[in-house]
Amino acid sequence: MDNTKSQPAALHTMALAALGVVFGDIGTSPLYTMKEVFAVGHHPLLLTQDNVYGILSLITWALLLIVSFKYVAFIMRADNRGEGGIMALLSLASRYAGGDPDQRKRIMMLGIIGACMFYADGMITPAISVLSAVEGLEVAAPQLDDWIVPITLLVLFLLFWAQSKGTAVMGAFFGPVMLTWFAVLGILGVINISHHTEILKALSPYYAFLFFSTQPKIAFIALGAVVLAVTGAEALYADMGHFGRKPIRLAWFLFVLPALICNYFGQGALILADPESIQNPFYHLAPDWALFPLILLATLATVIASQAVITGAFSVSRQALQLGFIPRMHVAHTSEQTEGQVYMPRVNWGLMVATMGLVVIFGSSGDLAAAYGIAVTGDMVITTLLAAVVFHHLWGWSKLKTACLISLFLVIDLSFFTANILKIPDGGWVPLLMGLIIFTLMRTWKTGRALLYRILRSESMELVPFIQAIGAHPPARVNGAGVFMTPNPDGVPHALLHNLKHNKVLHDSVVILTVRFEDYPYTSQEERIAVENLEYGFYRVTIRYGYMDEPDLPRDLALTEALGLTLDTMDTSFFVGKESLIASDKPGMAFWRKKIFIGLFRTAETITNQFKLPPNRVVELGSQVRI
């Protein structure tokens, strides 16, 4: 599914918008990639013509094979009703598992690890991007060197503080700013290439093969820095739902790819002509009079790149919340026109603390680069493995065809991933530690919810016999409707039993409401709601949401009128079970994980934040559950 309109004007407009959102991360990589390879990396290369040609050839073909071939040509075709990203790919792959719980569990585990790597990437990207832009002060005004970290922290604080205001106003400037940025990248590159046109020989893959054949160990280690040139490739896939495939492809091939290659080759020509410039080759591309404007433009570009990652973290968190991997938390909408613009305070401030902590701990983009590659390459490997399931089982490719393509992707991805493993002692442990913590929390929450659901289901009464008993011995009924939310549509909600026990009455209309989140992004109005009349004023209602849908129960319950159930919103009460959890010695989860789950459960906010229930119409009825 591609939502792109066919008119050229609309296509170009969407391509410009994609330029401002999708390509910020990969577009700011020239700030630090060549510097990391030759100057400040933990295994810097000797500055020779053969090495420069070899690195430029590797960067060129990494951009072509990983971004153009893998993501743009193939992965972006694996859309889930138009949506992309690791969660969309996970949902597609999970459908293959069907009723096989072990297979589904393995696929789900891969997806969770990929999401954890995305979060780790989301913490590191703003830190290294903004830090590398502000480091231009080392070139323009060396006396301001001690102010680089404080200025970076200030920019990051303002960036995260502004998230609650929404991105609608800033978004209007993203496209033109990034258009200017890529134009400047290309122009600076072409100017310096013109002084050493022989550098264009490195476009040939021959120099990459020559580099590996003559210095295999050094070339392999260098891959750990070369991968910085393709960070952000996953954003092309993740943001596909906002723009469609065609605008992203148009912007990439027509503008972004040529600008990046020109800039990298311009840096290569510069450092061969002036080896001293290797300390910061990007900023040495510009004449002295242009340094401060370039620093300002670079800072704006890195803020935009960081904004895209932070927004992506909100989007992934929202999907993870609705798929049951993280606790309920407040989701604020920052735009009345655009549903996808959301703000999650806990995620935002958590990312800010982690990002600013990384800046303080590492202090420079060169030191931070060691922590960058693991998360990116890990996500690439997981994307390839999930794509293999989609290609073969959903697209119907033969095993041979799938194996050939996936093997090519894995050889490339695993080469970069393995090279980055060497950087674990120098900082690569950071995303691994972050990913492990997030993975533990997500798995604990998912497992705890499943365990709690099994316990509540085993302890609940069957609904149909209960209704028959109510019909035989009717209690007092009061006007209005009572909506009782439960994950088990076949059992009597605990909240209903507690209400009947303490109040001795039932409403004229009793709605047993179950909300389900599907493994596709959106549901249509026709498939969203189902109503079943169970006699004696009882109704079983099921509402389905996609993982990108905005839950709004009062709005969607209004749809029941067309199905024979009329609910007056002013005369309807929502009853929510509020369980008090106690850890027990029963098997199911390790005791320490139960304690973590209970802590998360107790700190999660009320369900009204997720489903937009009117606070004055919500009644919470509690019970005690041992898990």
Side-chain angles (χ1 to χ4, degrees), residues 270-292:
L270 175 66
I271 61 178
L272 286 178
D274 179 14
E276 293 297 323
S277 65
I278 191 57
Q279 294 305 315
N280 204 320
F282 176 81
Y283 282 109
H284 280 100
L285 288 175
D288 293 341
W289 61 266
L291 276 177
F292 282 106

Side-chain angles (χ1 to χ4, degrees), residues 58-101:
L58 282 175
I59 289 175
T60 300
W61 287 94
L63 290 170
L64 291 175
L65 291 176
I66 294 178
V67 184
S68 302
F69 186 64
K70 176 184 172 180
Y71 278 95
V72 175
F74 286 97
I75 299 297
M76 286 179 62
R77 292 169 57 193
D79 67 287
N80 191 355
R81 296 195 179 187
E83 290 293 324
I86 190 70
M87 286 295 181
L89 197 59
L90 170 62
S91 299
L92 289 174
S94 296
R95 292 177 193 172
Y96 150 69
D100 186 344

Side-chain angles (χ1 to χ4, degrees), residues 86-87 90-91 93-94 97 101-117 325 378-379 382-383 385-386 435-436 438-440 442-444 446-447 593:
I86 190 70
M87 286 295 181
L90 170 62
S91 299
S94 296
D102 292 335
Q103 184 73 8
R104 192 177 184 87
K105 184 177 180 179
R106 285 191 292 268
I107 293 173
M108 196 67 67
M109 196 78 70
L110 275 177
I112 295 175
I113 295 173
C116 292
M117 291 295 99
F325 288 107
D379 186 75
I382 291 169
T383 297
L385 294 175
L386 292 176
L436 178 62
I438 297 171
F439 176 82
T440 301
M442 292 178 74
R443 282 293 299 159
T444 297
K446 185 74 171 178
T447 305
R593 289 184 69 195

Side-chain angles (χ1 to χ4, degrees), residues 342-411:
V342 296
Y343 168 68
M344 303 179 71
R346 292 182 179 179
V347 175
N348 183 65
W349 298 119
L351 278 177
M352 187 194 76
V353 170
T355 300
M356 296 176 74
L358 290 173
V359 171
V360 173
I361 292 171
F362 287 91
S364 73
S365 61
D367 291 337
L368 196 53
Y372 202 13
I374 289 284
V376 174
T377 53
D379 186 75
M380 288 179 178
V381 172
I382 291 169
T383 297
T384 298
L385 294 175
L386 292 176
V389 178
V390 174
F391 292 171
H392 178 55
H393 294 282
L394 292 184
W395 291 4
W397 284 16
S398 67
K399 290 184 178 180
L400 179 61
K401 182 179 179 180
T402 303
C404 289
L405 186 62
I406 294 301
S407 297
L408 174 61
F409 291 164
L410 280 178
V411 167

Side-chain angles (χ1 to χ4, degrees), residues 179-248:
L179 182 66
T180 304
W181 170 252
F182 284 112
V184 170
L185 287 185
I187 291 170
L188 291 177
V190 169
I191 291 173
N192 285 270
I193 290 171
S194 66
H195 300 150
H196 188 87
T197 55
E198 289 188 355
I199 198 77
L200 294 175
K201 291 180 180 178
L203 289 170
S204 169
Y206 165 77
Y207 290 94
F209 288 117
L210 181 64
F211 186 38
F212 263 95
S213 61
T214 56
Q215 305 178 82
K217 183 178 179 180
I218 293 176
F220 176 73
I221 294 173
L223 288 178
V226 170
V227 74
L228 297 176
V230 296
T231 56
E234 66 280 1
L236 278 70
Y237 180 46
D239 290 318
M240 181 177 64
H242 298 289
F243 305 101
R245 284 191 291 267
K246 288 183 180 179
I248 293 176

Side-chain angles (χ1 to χ4, degrees), residues 484-495:
F484 296 86
M485 299 182 66
T486 176
N488 176 20
D490 299 316
V492 182
H494 283 214

